Amino acid sequence: MLEPGYIPAAYRVGGGLLPHQIAAIFAALSSGSVRGVELAEFEAGDTEVPERVSVELIVETLQHLLR
């Protein structure tokens, strides 16, 4: 679970991981060991977090899985 405020969503549940923590977990996994990732919610149009910034954050966080 990602800490609220990074990806726009209809609801916020605290106590999640930060993007760099999630990226570090993915980096520690062996290549090909992840079969799928689910992005459960992404609500476009949030004035606090522009869509472009959120998409860039998602790609950056998942970059180790894309190698």
Side-chain angles (χ1 to χ4, degrees), residues 2 4-12 39-55 58:
L2 181 64
Y6 290 95
I7 304 296
Y11 61 92
R12 293 179 178 214
L39 178 59
E41 186 169 347
F42 183 103
E43 189 163 300
D46 188 311
T47 56
E48 292 180 35
V49 183
E51 293 171 28
R52 176 188 54 76
V53 172
S54 296
V55 170
I58 292 168

PDB file of all heavy atoms in Angstrom, residues 2 4-12 39-55 58:
ATOM      1  N   LEU A   2       0.559   2.170  -0.858  1.00  0.00           N
ATOM      2  CA  LEU A   2       1.304   3.424  -0.977  1.00  0.00           C
ATOM      3  C   LEU A   2       0.729   4.462  -0.019  1.00  0.00           C
ATOM      4  O   LEU A   2      -0.487   4.577   0.130  1.00  0.00           O
ATOM      5  CB  LEU A   2       1.205   3.938  -2.418  1.00  0.00           C
ATOM      6  CG  LEU A   2       1.923   5.223  -2.760  1.00  0.00           C
ATOM      7  CD1 LEU A   2       3.432   5.067  -2.597  1.00  0.00           C
ATOM      8  CD2 LEU A   2       1.600   5.634  -4.191  1.00  0.00           C
ATOM      9  N   PRO A   4      -0.774   7.750   1.301  1.00  0.00           N
ATOM     10  CA  PRO A   4      -1.649   8.701   0.604  1.00  0.00           C
ATOM     11  C   PRO A   4      -0.937   9.992   0.209  1.00  0.00           C
ATOM     12  O   PRO A   4       0.030  10.402   0.844  1.00  0.00           O
ATOM     13  CB  PRO A   4      -2.729   9.012   1.645  1.00  0.00           C
ATOM     14  CG  PRO A   4      -2.688   7.890   2.608  1.00  0.00           C
ATOM     15  CD  PRO A   4      -1.268   7.402   2.622  1.00  0.00           C
ATOM     16  N   GLY A   5      -1.439  10.615  -0.834  1.00  0.00           N
ATOM     17  CA  GLY A   5      -0.930  11.901  -1.270  1.00  0.00           C
ATOM     18  C   GLY A   5      -0.025  11.843  -2.483  1.00  0.00           C
ATOM     19  O   GLY A   5       0.287  12.870  -3.071  1.00  0.00           O
ATOM     20  N   TYR A   6       0.385  10.658  -2.887  1.00  0.00           N
ATOM     21  CA  TYR A   6       1.266  10.520  -4.046  1.00  0.00           C
ATOM     22  C   TYR A   6       0.486  10.232  -5.322  1.00  0.00           C
ATOM     23  O   TYR A   6       0.857  10.686  -6.392  1.00  0.00           O
ATOM     24  CB  TYR A   6       2.306   9.414  -3.818  1.00  0.00           C
ATOM     25  CG  TYR A   6       3.319   9.794  -2.782  1.00  0.00           C
ATOM     26  CD1 TYR A   6       3.169   9.420  -1.459  1.00  0.00           C
ATOM     27  CD2 TYR A   6       4.424  10.568  -3.116  1.00  0.00           C
ATOM     28  CE1 TYR A   6       4.092   9.782  -0.500  1.00  0.00           C
ATOM     29  CE2 TYR A   6       5.352  10.940  -2.166  1.00  0.00           C
ATOM     30  CZ  TYR A   6       5.175  10.544  -0.854  1.00  0.00           C
ATOM     31  OH  TYR A   6       6.093  10.916   0.095  1.00  0.00           O
ATOM     32  N   ILE A   7      -0.570   9.445  -5.202  1.00  0.00           N
ATOM     33  CA  ILE A   7      -1.426   9.097  -6.326  1.00  0.00           C
ATOM     34  C   ILE A   7      -2.836   9.551  -5.968  1.00  0.00           C
ATOM     35  O   ILE A   7      -3.341   9.200  -4.899  1.00  0.00           O
ATOM     36  CB  ILE A   7      -1.420   7.565  -6.585  1.00  0.00           C
ATOM     37  CG1 ILE A   7       0.002   7.062  -6.797  1.00  0.00           C
ATOM     38  CG2 ILE A   7      -2.329   7.214  -7.752  1.00  0.00           C
ATOM     39  CD1 ILE A   7       0.708   7.606  -8.014  1.00  0.00           C
ATOM     40  N   PRO A   8      -3.493  10.322  -6.824  1.00  0.00           N
ATOM     41  CA  PRO A   8      -4.847  10.780  -6.501  1.00  0.00           C
ATOM     42  C   PRO A   8      -5.817   9.603  -6.381  1.00  0.00           C
ATOM     43  O   PRO A   8      -5.822   8.712  -7.219  1.00  0.00           O
ATOM     44  CB  PRO A   8      -5.233  11.667  -7.679  1.00  0.00           C
ATOM     45  CG  PRO A   8      -4.066  11.747  -8.574  1.00  0.00           C
ATOM     46  CD  PRO A   8      -3.025  10.808  -8.097  1.00  0.00           C
ATOM     47  N   ALA A   9      -6.589   9.606  -5.311  1.00  0.00           N
ATOM     48  CA  ALA A   9      -7.560   8.544  -5.062  1.00  0.00           C
ATOM     49  C   ALA A   9      -8.768   9.119  -4.337  1.00  0.00           C
ATOM     50  O   ALA A   9      -8.678  10.175  -3.709  1.00  0.00           O
ATOM     51  CB  ALA A   9      -6.923   7.447  -4.223  1.00  0.00           C
ATOM     52  N   ALA A  10      -9.879   8.406  -4.412  1.00  0.00           N
ATOM     53  CA  ALA A  10     -11.117   8.862  -3.785  1.00  0.00           C
ATOM     54  C   ALA A  10     -11.040   8.784  -2.259  1.00  0.00           C
ATOM     55  O   ALA A  10     -11.758   9.484  -1.567  1.00  0.00           O
ATOM     56  CB  ALA A  10     -12.288   8.030  -4.300  1.00  0.00           C
ATOM     57  N   TYR A  11     -10.200   7.933  -1.745  1.00  0.00           N
ATOM     58  CA  TYR A  11     -10.068   7.790  -0.300  1.00  0.00           C
ATOM     59  C   TYR A  11      -8.585   7.679   0.068  1.00  0.00           C
ATOM     60  O   TYR A  11      -7.764   7.367  -0.767  1.00  0.00           O
ATOM     61  CB  TYR A  11     -10.833   6.561   0.204  1.00  0.00           C
ATOM     62  CG  TYR A  11     -10.341   5.277  -0.392  1.00  0.00           C
ATOM     63  CD1 TYR A  11      -9.354   4.516   0.237  1.00  0.00           C
ATOM     64  CD2 TYR A  11     -10.839   4.814  -1.601  1.00  0.00           C
ATOM     65  CE1 TYR A  11      -8.880   3.347  -0.319  1.00  0.00           C
ATOM     66  CE2 TYR A  11     -10.367   3.633  -2.165  1.00  0.00           C
ATOM     67  CZ  TYR A  11      -9.395   2.903  -1.513  1.00  0.00           C
ATOM     68  OH  TYR A  11      -8.928   1.743  -2.068  1.00  0.00           O
ATOM     69  N   ARG A  12      -8.289   7.946   1.332  1.00  0.00           N
ATOM     70  CA  ARG A  12      -6.901   7.894   1.794  1.00  0.00           C
ATOM     71  C   ARG A  12      -6.810   7.046   3.053  1.00  0.00           C
ATOM     72  O   ARG A  12      -7.536   7.277   4.008  1.00  0.00           O
ATOM     73  CB  ARG A  12      -6.376   9.297   2.086  1.00  0.00           C
ATOM     74  CG  ARG A  12      -6.261  10.141   0.839  1.00  0.00           C
ATOM     75  CD  ARG A  12      -5.773  11.536   1.154  1.00  0.00           C
ATOM     76  NE  ARG A  12      -5.628  12.276  -0.097  1.00  0.00           N
ATOM     77  CZ  ARG A  12      -4.699  13.180  -0.304  1.00  0.00           C
ATOM     78  NH1 ARG A  12      -3.845  13.491   0.636  1.00  0.00           N
ATOM     79  NH2 ARG A  12      -4.628  13.794  -1.450  1.00  0.00           N
ATOM     80  N   LEU A  39      -2.574  -1.633  -9.797  1.00  0.00           N
ATOM     81  CA  LEU A  39      -2.802  -0.262  -9.341  1.00  0.00           C
ATOM     82  C   LEU A  39      -4.297  -0.177  -9.092  1.00  0.00           C
ATOM     83  O   LEU A  39      -5.092  -0.130 -10.028  1.00  0.00           O
ATOM     84  CB  LEU A  39      -2.357   0.749 -10.398  1.00  0.00           C
ATOM     85  CG  LEU A  39      -2.590   2.217 -10.072  1.00  0.00           C
ATOM     86  CD1 LEU A  39      -1.872   2.607  -8.784  1.00  0.00           C
ATOM     87  CD2 LEU A  39      -2.142   3.102 -11.211  1.00  0.00           C
ATOM     88  N   ALA A  40      -4.680  -0.225  -7.835  1.00  0.00           N
ATOM     89  CA  ALA A  40      -6.087  -0.370  -7.476  1.00  0.00           C
ATOM     90  C   ALA A  40      -6.906   0.890  -7.724  1.00  0.00           C
ATOM     91  O   ALA A  40      -8.090   0.806  -7.991  1.00  0.00           O
ATOM     92  CB  ALA A  40      -6.212  -0.798  -6.021  1.00  0.00           C
ATOM     93  N   GLU A  41      -6.281   2.040  -7.625  1.00  0.00           N
ATOM     94  CA  GLU A  41      -7.061   3.260  -7.823  1.00  0.00           C
ATOM     95  C   GLU A  41      -6.171   4.396  -8.302  1.00  0.00           C
ATOM     96  O   GLU A  41      -5.078   4.606  -7.792  1.00  0.00           O
ATOM     97  CB  GLU A  41      -7.751   3.673  -6.522  1.00  0.00           C
ATOM     98  CG  GLU A  41      -8.677   4.833  -6.708  1.00  0.00           C
ATOM     99  CD  GLU A  41      -9.557   5.078  -5.494  1.00  0.00           C
ATOM    100  OE1 GLU A  41      -9.626   4.229  -4.605  1.00  0.00           O
ATOM    101  OE2 GLU A  41     -10.176   6.149  -5.455  1.00  0.00           O
ATOM    102  N   PHE A  42      -6.665   5.102  -9.280  1.00  0.00           N
ATOM    103  CA  PHE A  42      -6.007   6.311  -9.785  1.00  0.00           C
ATOM    104  C   PHE A  42      -7.135   7.221 -10.225  1.00  0.00           C
ATOM    105  O   PHE A  42      -7.843   6.928 -11.179  1.00  0.00           O
ATOM    106  CB  PHE A  42      -5.106   5.978 -10.972  1.00  0.00           C
ATOM    107  CG  PHE A  42      -4.351   7.167 -11.505  1.00  0.00           C
ATOM    108  CD1 PHE A  42      -3.016   7.329 -11.203  1.00  0.00           C
ATOM    109  CD2 PHE A  42      -4.972   8.103 -12.296  1.00  0.00           C
ATOM    110  CE1 PHE A  42      -2.311   8.430 -11.696  1.00  0.00           C
ATOM    111  CE2 PHE A  42      -4.287   9.201 -12.787  1.00  0.00           C
ATOM    112  CZ  PHE A  42      -2.952   9.363 -12.483  1.00  0.00           C
ATOM    113  N   GLU A  43      -7.342   8.304  -9.513  1.00  0.00           N
ATOM    114  CA  GLU A  43      -8.443   9.202  -9.808  1.00  0.00           C
ATOM    115  C   GLU A  43      -7.912  10.451 -10.512  1.00  0.00           C
ATOM    116  O   GLU A  43      -7.253  11.279  -9.898  1.00  0.00           O
ATOM    117  CB  GLU A  43      -9.187   9.572  -8.528  1.00  0.00           C
ATOM    118  CG  GLU A  43     -10.456  10.324  -8.808  1.00  0.00           C
ATOM    119  CD  GLU A  43     -11.368  10.328  -7.606  1.00  0.00           C
ATOM    120  OE1 GLU A  43     -11.774   9.249  -7.159  1.00  0.00           O
ATOM    121  OE2 GLU A  43     -11.649  11.437  -7.121  1.00  0.00           O
ATOM    122  N   ALA A  44      -8.200  10.562 -11.778  1.00  0.00           N
ATOM    123  CA  ALA A  44      -7.737  11.707 -12.567  1.00  0.00           C
ATOM    124  C   ALA A  44      -8.454  12.980 -12.121  1.00  0.00           C
ATOM    125  O   ALA A  44      -9.569  12.938 -11.620  1.00  0.00           O
ATOM    126  CB  ALA A  44      -8.003  11.447 -14.040  1.00  0.00           C
ATOM    127  N   GLY A  45      -7.769  14.094 -12.311  1.00  0.00           N
ATOM    128  CA  GLY A  45      -8.377  15.383 -12.044  1.00  0.00           C
ATOM    129  C   GLY A  45      -8.159  15.918 -10.638  1.00  0.00           C
ATOM    130  O   GLY A  45      -8.803  16.871 -10.245  1.00  0.00           O
ATOM    131  N   ASP A  46      -7.261  15.354  -9.886  1.00  0.00           N
ATOM    132  CA  ASP A  46      -6.955  15.836  -8.538  1.00  0.00           C
ATOM    133  C   ASP A  46      -6.170  17.141  -8.657  1.00  0.00           C
ATOM    134  O   ASP A  46      -5.152  17.195  -9.350  1.00  0.00           O
ATOM    135  CB  ASP A  46      -6.138  14.785  -7.786  1.00  0.00           C
ATOM    136  CG  ASP A  46      -5.951  15.121  -6.317  1.00  0.00           C
ATOM    137  OD1 ASP A  46      -5.574  16.255  -5.998  1.00  0.00           O
ATOM    138  OD2 ASP A  46      -6.186  14.228  -5.492  1.00  0.00           O
ATOM    139  N   THR A  47      -6.613  18.182  -7.995  1.00  0.00           N
ATOM    140  CA  THR A  47      -5.925  19.478  -8.088  1.00  0.00           C
ATOM    141  C   THR A  47      -4.636  19.506  -7.273  1.00  0.00           C
ATOM    142  O   THR A  47      -3.747  20.294  -7.549  1.00  0.00           O
ATOM    143  CB  THR A  47      -6.842  20.619  -7.616  1.00  0.00           C
ATOM    144  OG1 THR A  47      -7.286  20.346  -6.276  1.00  0.00           O
ATOM    145  CG2 THR A  47      -8.037  20.770  -8.530  1.00  0.00           C
ATOM    146  N   GLU A  48      -4.521  18.638  -6.254  1.00  0.00           N
ATOM    147  CA  GLU A  48      -3.318  18.613  -5.423  1.00  0.00           C
ATOM    148  C   GLU A  48      -2.155  17.894  -6.096  1.00  0.00           C
ATOM    149  O   GLU A  48      -1.002  18.255  -5.903  1.00  0.00           O
ATOM    150  CB  GLU A  48      -3.615  17.923  -4.092  1.00  0.00           C
ATOM    151  CG  GLU A  48      -4.551  18.691  -3.197  1.00  0.00           C
ATOM    152  CD  GLU A  48      -4.801  17.957  -1.893  1.00  0.00           C
ATOM    153  OE1 GLU A  48      -3.879  17.293  -1.386  1.00  0.00           O
ATOM    154  OE2 GLU A  48      -5.930  18.051  -1.399  1.00  0.00           O
ATOM    155  N   VAL A  49      -2.457  16.859  -6.870  1.00  0.00           N
ATOM    156  CA  VAL A  49      -1.419  16.059  -7.516  1.00  0.00           C
ATOM    157  C   VAL A  49      -1.736  15.972  -9.011  1.00  0.00           C
ATOM    158  O   VAL A  49      -2.641  15.252  -9.408  1.00  0.00           O
ATOM    159  CB  VAL A  49      -1.349  14.627  -6.919  1.00  0.00           C
ATOM    160  CG1 VAL A  49      -0.213  13.850  -7.545  1.00  0.00           C
ATOM    161  CG2 VAL A  49      -1.213  14.671  -5.411  1.00  0.00           C
ATOM    162  N   PRO A  50      -1.025  16.707  -9.858  1.00  0.00           N
ATOM    163  CA  PRO A  50      -1.289  16.657 -11.299  1.00  0.00           C
ATOM    164  C   PRO A  50      -1.097  15.245 -11.856  1.00  0.00           C
ATOM    165  O   PRO A  50      -0.220  14.502 -11.408  1.00  0.00           O
ATOM    166  CB  PRO A  50      -0.244  17.607 -11.891  1.00  0.00           C
ATOM    167  CG  PRO A  50       0.172  18.484 -10.760  1.00  0.00           C
ATOM    168  CD  PRO A  50       0.043  17.640  -9.522  1.00  0.00           C
ATOM    169  N   GLU A  51      -1.931  14.872 -12.818  1.00  0.00           N
ATOM    170  CA  GLU A  51      -1.888  13.534 -13.413  1.00  0.00           C
ATOM    171  C   GLU A  51      -0.502  13.180 -13.940  1.00  0.00           C
ATOM    172  O   GLU A  51      -0.010  12.078 -13.723  1.00  0.00           O
ATOM    173  CB  GLU A  51      -2.905  13.433 -14.549  1.00  0.00           C
ATOM    174  CG  GLU A  51      -4.331  13.503 -14.078  1.00  0.00           C
ATOM    175  CD  GLU A  51      -5.308  13.631 -15.214  1.00  0.00           C
ATOM    176  OE1 GLU A  51      -5.020  13.161 -16.332  1.00  0.00           O
ATOM    177  OE2 GLU A  51      -6.384  14.207 -14.983  1.00  0.00           O
ATOM    178  N   ARG A  52       0.148  14.115 -14.632  1.00  0.00           N
ATOM    179  CA  ARG A  52       1.476  13.859 -15.211  1.00  0.00           C
ATOM    180  C   ARG A  52       2.472  13.475 -14.130  1.00  0.00           C
ATOM    181  O   ARG A  52       3.254  12.535 -14.282  1.00  0.00           O
ATOM    182  CB  ARG A  52       1.948  15.104 -15.963  1.00  0.00           C
ATOM    183  CG  ARG A  52       3.362  14.991 -16.518  1.00  0.00           C
ATOM    184  CD  ARG A  52       3.866  16.314 -17.077  1.00  0.00           C
ATOM    185  NE  ARG A  52       3.790  17.440 -16.167  1.00  0.00           N
ATOM    186  CZ  ARG A  52       4.631  17.650 -15.142  1.00  0.00           C
ATOM    187  NH1 ARG A  52       5.608  16.814 -14.902  1.00  0.00           N
ATOM    188  NH2 ARG A  52       4.498  18.701 -14.368  1.00  0.00           N
ATOM    189  N   VAL A  53       2.436  14.167 -13.010  1.00  0.00           N
ATOM    190  CA  VAL A  53       3.358  13.892 -11.909  1.00  0.00           C
ATOM    191  C   VAL A  53       3.091  12.501 -11.339  1.00  0.00           C
ATOM    192  O   VAL A  53       4.018  11.742 -11.054  1.00  0.00           O
ATOM    193  CB  VAL A  53       3.232  14.973 -10.808  1.00  0.00           C
ATOM    194  CG1 VAL A  53       4.032  14.602  -9.574  1.00  0.00           C
ATOM    195  CG2 VAL A  53       3.649  16.325 -11.344  1.00  0.00           C
ATOM    196  N   SER A  54       1.820  12.148 -11.204  1.00  0.00           N
ATOM    197  CA  SER A  54       1.470  10.831 -10.671  1.00  0.00           C
ATOM    198  C   SER A  54       1.915   9.712 -11.603  1.00  0.00           C
ATOM    199  O   SER A  54       2.449   8.695 -11.154  1.00  0.00           O
ATOM    200  CB  SER A  54      -0.041  10.738 -10.449  1.00  0.00           C
ATOM    201  OG  SER A  54      -0.440  11.654  -9.466  1.00  0.00           O
ATOM    202  N   VAL A  55       1.701   9.883 -12.894  1.00  0.00           N
ATOM    203  CA  VAL A  55       2.106   8.856 -13.863  1.00  0.00           C
ATOM    204  C   VAL A  55       3.623   8.710 -13.857  1.00  0.00           C
ATOM    205  O   VAL A  55       4.149   7.587 -13.872  1.00  0.00           O
ATOM    206  CB  VAL A  55       1.569   9.177 -15.269  1.00  0.00           C
ATOM    207  CG1 VAL A  55       2.171   8.255 -16.312  1.00  0.00           C
ATOM    208  CG2 VAL A  55       0.047   9.092 -15.283  1.00  0.00           C
ATOM    209  N   ILE A  58       4.606   6.710 -10.837  1.00  0.00           N
ATOM    210  CA  ILE A  58       4.305   5.288 -11.016  1.00  0.00           C
ATOM    211  C   ILE A  58       5.386   4.617 -11.861  1.00  0.00           C
ATOM    212  O   ILE A  58       5.915   3.565 -11.501  1.00  0.00           O
ATOM    213  CB  ILE A  58       2.914   5.091 -11.653  1.00  0.00           C
ATOM    214  CG1 ILE A  58       1.828   5.530 -10.670  1.00  0.00           C
ATOM    215  CG2 ILE A  58       2.702   3.642 -12.077  1.00  0.00           C
ATOM    216  CD1 ILE A  58       0.453   5.657 -11.289  1.00  0.00           C
TER     217      ILE A  58
END
